[in-house]
Structure formats: C-alpha cells, structure tokens
Amino acid sequence: MPYHEFECSKVIPERKKHAVTKGQGENLTSCLPLGYLNTIPGSISERGCAYCGAKHVIGTPMKDVIHISHGPVGCTYDTWQTKRYISDNDNFQLKYTFATDVKEKHIVFGAEKLLKQNIKEAFKAFPDTKRMTIYQTCATALIGDDIDAIAQEVMDEMPEVDIFVCNSPGFAGPSQSGGHHKINIAWINQKVGTLEPEITSDYVINYVGEYNIQGDQEVMLDFFKRMGIQVLSTFTGNGKYDDLRGMHRAHLNVLECARSAEYICDELRERYGIPRLDIDGFGFKALGDSLRKIGLFFGIEERAEKIIEEETARWKPELDWYKARLQGKKVCLWPGGSKLWHWANAIQEEMGVKVVSVYTKFGHQGDMEKGVARCGEGALAIDDPNELEGLEALEMLKPDVIFTGKRPGEVAKKVNVPYLNAHGYHNGPYKGFEGWVRFARDIYNAVYSPIHRLALLDISKDEIPAGQGFVTRRMLSDQDLPENVASSTDTRPYTGKFDSVSYLRQKTYPVFERATEPDAEARVVNG
C-alpha cells in the first residue's frame, strides 16, 4: 500500500503520507494515510472548524431550541441551512439562526453585556421557546468572555428557561471532529440527569449520532415503534432538549454515527451503566442486521424479522432494477467521516458500483481503516485533501460520479463529473429500505443524466450532433443491457412518493403492553 504523492502537492512534502493506494493482497498493517492531524500550512483544506462541528453538526438539529452563537455574525451564517436537518415542528431550527454579532469594539471592551442582552431579546422574540444553546467562537474565547456565568445569571432571573453552553471555539481541535467531542462531553456534564423522563415501554433506547437529514431519524423511528421500542431521546436530529436531559434512563444506547457521537455513548456506559450497540441504517443487509441485533438485545427478534421481511419484499425488486444498470460504474466516496465506511461496502455489494477512492476531511485513522478495508485493489485513500488534489484525483481516476459535500461537489461539476451530496443528500432520506432505493435512484439519475451528457460537449471545438432526437435516462441506461434484463418484470424503478416522511408523522403503531401488566395484548394508538 504505497503512499501516493500528488503532483500538485510536491511543494508540500508532508502531504505525501496523507494518501495511499491499496495494492494487491495488502492488509491494513501495510500502510494507512496519516489522519486527524493539524492541517499542513500551505494546503487549502476543505475542513470545518471545531465550532462548526459542535454547532452545525450536533447542536443545530435539536428542534425546540434557540441556537445562538456568541461571536461575529459570519460564524453563524456559515453554519446555517447548509444541511437539511428537518424536524416535525415546522423546521424551527432551520428557519432561524441567532448571533450576538460581535464587533471590533466588543473585542476591545468585552462582549458579556452584549451576550446577556441578546439572550433576553431572543427569548422575548420567541416566547414559546424556553430552551437555548450558546456556542462560543474563536473571538469570544480569546477575549475570555464567561459565557457560563452569563447563562446562569439569565436562568436565575428567568427560572422558566434553561440554557446549555458549549465552549468549543474553532481552534479547539484539528477539525470539526474536535467540536463533536466538546459538545458530547459538555452535554453529559451539564444536562444529562437533570430531568426524569416518563418510561412507557419495557424496551427503551437512546438513538445516538442521528441527525435527521431529510428525515432519516423519522424513518428509523418508524422501525423502532413497530418493534414496540420507546425512543427516549435522539441525539440530536429532530430531538427535544428536555428529552436529551433524560438520557440516563435508557436501557440501551443505539449508536449510528460513531465519529460524531461515540463519546457520549461511552460516558453513559461509564457513568450510568448503559450498554452501547453500534448500528447502521444504510443498506438492506446492514440495516437488517442492525434491527436483528436490537431485537436480540431485548428478546423481540420476531418483531425485527417481520419488519425486515415486509420491507425487503416491498423494496428489493426496485433496488435490483438500479443495480442492473449501475454495474461497474466508478464512484469516488468523498464524505466527511463515517459515511466512507458505512457506504463503501454496501454500495458495491447492493448497487453494483465500484469504489475507486475514499477520502475523509475530519475522520480519524479508525475511520480510514474501516473504509480502506471495504474497498478493492487500486482504491485511492486520501486524508484531508485540498482542492487541487481532488481535481488531480478526478483526472486520474475518471469516476462516473462522486459522493461528497457541496463545495468539492460544485468543483467536480466544472470538470464534468456529476456529484451527489453525501452530507445533505439530493432526494433523501437515504436510511431505511426505501431510503436506500432512493439513494440508488439518485445515483442512477446522476450517471445517466441527458443534460450532463450535453454538458460534456465543448461548443467551441466539438461537433454538436444535430440529428439526435429526444433522449431519456432509460434510453441511455438500457442500450447495452441484455434484453431479458431490460424488459424484466421482476424488477422495477422506484415507485415511492416524492415525500416519504410526512405521512409517518400521522401513522398509528401497535403498542405492546408492558410485562408488568396482565393480558399483554397489542392495541393500536396514535404514534
């Protein structure tokens, strides 16, 4: 597994050890790219900062909270509405963002008075919202503003409100991953155990590391409710502030994104004895195995198997339709952290694509180990690439599509490579059995886009075909397929609705009587 040196980065020799190519028969002990280190000076990183990791990734998805940044307004705008963390309360946390708008005079004379004024103004503007999170930024950290003291003053004066303070300035870690750790530990130190929740089931979980991107959390919640499991809290997508204060009463922590939220799971295990179970909501096999593990833990395996059987029968023919048309398509899997290993094997096994490269902007070496292990021979693994390295990799690998964020994705489009948004999704949710088919559909639409094919033409020099008529994706994808595959009635393209989430909010579920009650019969109530 030799190191790969990019031509564009030869002037930064330290970058050489941040990229490797997986060779034939090599294992993970041969060589791994360096990871989770400070960005090398001269390399224009695509990383976010620790403040971004705390507020944007983990804090903001809480739905019933005023999220206020104590610092320059630019920090707040950079972390506003760039991910689709939807919620079932009319997306309050997406509609509004708050900042103290620190100016130069505040840096000189202090901004604590400004902060207190802003806190009270925000609560006055939204009188029905009684919960707030305050995020420290580099500017206010460097001048030493005591945010905790100001928050306590306000809570003493307004006892009906509750405020959480996250001291995670941008310089608090090599990347946004440092902020993940900061907010995890701050939440359990400040808020867990300060409220006693109502327990309504014999099977109670915290769903941790789930951010409800385009409805992912609500899809998974549907499965849990069908199994008779009470989700005490979700950390943090579509989650409620007060629910998260009662995390200490769960029987099991179900962990989705280990990179951003394993810290609070480990602390809950250490302090309250709550076991941790890692799951994966992406892919038919991974999701099925995850539901089985949860069912096995609680002794309700038959409920999990029923869901898996029903969902597979409904959606597998549609996944197979896309798999037949995506065989061998080359993919660069360039997300932020854990998706590089959540997706790498599943998209190859269940969609037929070939992953030719993985990269991570804020992942640790453990993430890279799992990502590389799930890739085949010749895959290029990169840690914290800069824009020029990304362009060079695209030229060398010539992928059919890349999965990445908006910034590198828009750059890729300029060199005629379509991209799917790995962070906020294109047409999600992508979790769940139906969600996985939606993901396959989005890949198919990107690879076989007629508009994209036209964009490959250079009108200054290429001959423009004049006799070509109307072209559809189906015409492009099926032209080389065997006739029996192209015309098969055993498979079909996606037949779900445009909005696959909203109806779940009105769905009714069987609620099983608790073991302590007699006549344990299931009855149907509102979900």
Side-chain angles (χ1 to χ4, degrees):
M1 195 179 293
Y3 289 118
H4 177 85
E5 185 174 26
F6 288 97
E7 287 293 324
C8 62
S9 292
K10 284 187 174 180
V11 293
I12 315 174
E14 298 93 335
R15 282 295 303 159
K16 182 176 181 179
K17 292 188 177 182
H18 287 259
V20 299
T21 302
K22 186 174 182 180
Q24 183 176 6
E26 289 182 333
N27 59 42
L28 297 177
T29 62
S30 303
C31 178
L32 277 174
L34 298 179
Y36 196 56
L37 299 174
N38 289 328
T39 298
I40 299 164
S43 180
I44 308 302
S45 173
E46 296 171 353
R47 284 172 165 174
C49 65
Y51 156 81
C52 175
K55 178 184 183 281
H56 179 47
V57 176
I58 296 181
T60 300
M62 276 192 283
K63 66 184 178 183
D64 56 347
V65 179
I66 293 171
H67 297 280
I68 186 167
S69 298
H70 185 37
V73 72
C75 298
T76 298
Y77 278 115
D78 184 60
T79 55
W80 184 35
Q81 290 192 336
T82 54
K83 273 192 178 180
R84 298 165 184 173
Y85 297 130
I86 67 172
S87 64
D88 57 13
N89 68 337
D90 202 27
N91 300 316
F92 175 81
Q93 80 289 355
L94 286 180
K95 287 183 176 180
Y96 304 101
T97 192
F98 303 82
T100 53
D101 193 17
V102 168
K103 305 290 189 184
E104 186 176 350
K105 66 179 180 180
H106 302 116
I107 300 300
V108 176
F109 297 109
E112 291 180 356
K113 182 178 179 181
L114 176 72
L115 173 61
K116 188 172 182 178
Q117 174 188 335
N118 273 260
I119 294 172
K120 290 188 171 183
E121 285 181 1
F123 279 129
K124 184 177 180 180
F126 295 91
D128 294 331
T129 304
K130 304 297 185 183
R131 301 294 180 257
M132 176 180 286
T133 59
I134 305 175
Y135 304 92
Q136 188 183 54
T137 63
C138 294
T140 51
L142 288 170
I143 64 175
D145 276 1
D146 192 342
I147 300 176
D148 296 271
I150 299 300
Q152 190 59 54
E153 282 184 23
V154 174
M155 286 190 285
D156 290 341
E157 295 173 15
M158 303 172 64
E160 73 277 11
V161 307
D162 198 84
I163 301 173
F164 166 66
V165 177
C166 181
N167 290 301
S168 181
F171 55 75
S175 70
Q176 55 261 56
S177 185
H180 302 160
H181 182 264
K182 290 281 187 184
I183 195 171
N184 274 239
I185 302 305
W187 185 265
I188 194 168
N189 284 343
Q190 294 179 41
K191 297 303 174 185
V192 173
T194 62
L195 182 146
E196 287 300 322
E198 179 185 3
I199 303 300
T200 61
S201 172
D202 289 325
Y203 319 115
V204 185
I205 68 171
N206 292 315
Y207 189 23
V208 183
E210 167 54 54
Y211 306 109
N212 202 35
I213 301 172
Q214 286 199 33
D216 277 348
Q217 182 257 9
E218 297 175 75
V219 169
M220 296 297 289
L221 212 64
D222 175 62
F223 300 140
F224 298 144
K225 287 181 178 179
R226 287 157 68 181
M227 293 173 67
I229 293 171
Q230 178 188 359
V231 179
L232 195 61
S233 70
T234 301
F235 188 86
T236 54
N238 200 35
K240 293 181 179 180
Y241 184 102
D242 282 352
D243 287 350
L244 287 159
R245 295 166 68 188
M247 295 179 79
H248 60 296
R249 294 305 184 195
H251 304 148
L252 176 68
N253 289 316
V254 173
L255 176 62
E256 187 81 50
C257 178
R259 177 47 46 233
S260 65
E262 66 177 351
Y263 316 106
I264 197 167
C265 277
D266 291 344
E267 289 297 320
L268 286 165
R269 178 173 56 192
E270 180 70 23
R271 303 184 194 190
Y272 298 101
I274 306 172
R276 160 185 164 177
L277 180 64
D278 291 35
I279 69 163
D280 189 345
F282 297 110
F284 278 44
K285 183 179 186 305
L287 175 55
D289 289 346
S290 296
L291 295 177
R292 288 187 183 98
K293 287 194 296 183
I294 297 170
L296 182 64
F297 180 87
F298 288 120
I300 51 174
E301 302 97 315
E302 72 285 351
R303 299 181 192 177
E305 291 296 344
K306 184 172 185 260
I307 292 170
I308 295 165
E309 183 179 344
E310 291 173 355
E311 295 290 323
T312 301
R314 170 66 179 87
W315 298 109
K316 188 65 161 57
E318 301 185 10
L319 182 65
D320 289 343
W321 190 91
Y322 291 106
K323 181 177 181 179
R325 290 156 177 81
L326 294 174
Q327 284 291 334
K329 297 301 179 184
K330 294 192 294 183
V331 169
C332 284
L333 183 50
W334 290 355
S338 61
K339 283 193 180 76
L340 73 93
W341 51 268
H342 276 300
W343 288 358
N345 182 65
I347 59 176
Q348 293 184 112
E349 293 295 322
E350 299 183 0
M351 298 183 191
V353 302
K354 177 179 174 59
V355 176
V356 295
S357 177
V358 292
Y359 88 17
T360 174
K361 288 181 279 190
F362 58 83
H364 299 198
Q365 281 209 297
D367 301 299
M368 190 61 82
E369 283 184 20
K370 288 181 275 190
V372 171
R374 289 160 170 78
C375 293
E377 178 185 333
L380 175 63
I382 320 168
D383 168 72
D384 187 25
N386 57 53
E387 183 177 305
L388 293 178
E389 289 174 346
L391 288 169
E392 189 174 318
L394 291 176
E395 176 62 29
M396 176 180 70
L397 298 169
K398 297 186 175 2
D400 295 291
V401 63
I402 72 169
F403 309 149
T404 189
K406 290 196 296 184
R407 284 173 292 186
E410 292 301 321
V411 172
K413 284 165 65 175
K414 292 178 181 180
V415 292
N416 300 320
V417 179
Y419 93 98
L420 291 182
N421 192 331
H423 304 313
Y425 305 161
H426 268 61
N427 298 286
Y430 288 166
K431 281 183 182 172
F433 297 90
E434 180 182 1
W436 200 237
V437 178
R438 292 173 74 97
F439 187 21
R441 178 198 59 179
D442 280 358
I443 300 171
Y444 172 84
N445 287 345
V447 170
Y448 292 109
S449 167
I451 294 296
H452 178 70
R453 297 292 176 99
L454 288 175
L456 298 177
L457 296 172
D458 184 344
I459 60 173
S460 67
K461 61 180 181 180
D462 294 338
E463 182 179 348
I464 308 300
Q468 184 172 336
F470 185 74
V471 178
T472 66
R473 289 185 177 89
R474 187 73 179 266
M475 292 167 64
L476 295 173
S477 67
D478 288 12
Q479 60 185 352
D480 295 323
L481 281 180
E483 177 58 30
N484 64 317
V485 175
S487 60
S488 173
T489 57
D490 295 329
T491 62
R492 58 183 180 269
Y494 180 65
T495 58
K497 299 177 180 178
F498 173 76
D499 179 359
S500 64
V501 174
S502 294
Y503 82 97
L504 295 174
R505 298 170 185 172
Q506 286 78 46
K507 189 174 177 181
T508 58
Y509 294 91
V511 176
F512 301 90
E513 298 287 354
R514 300 184 64 178
T516 54
E517 299 175 0
D519 303 322
E521 295 180 358
R523 65 181 183 275
V524 175
V525 299
N526 288 329

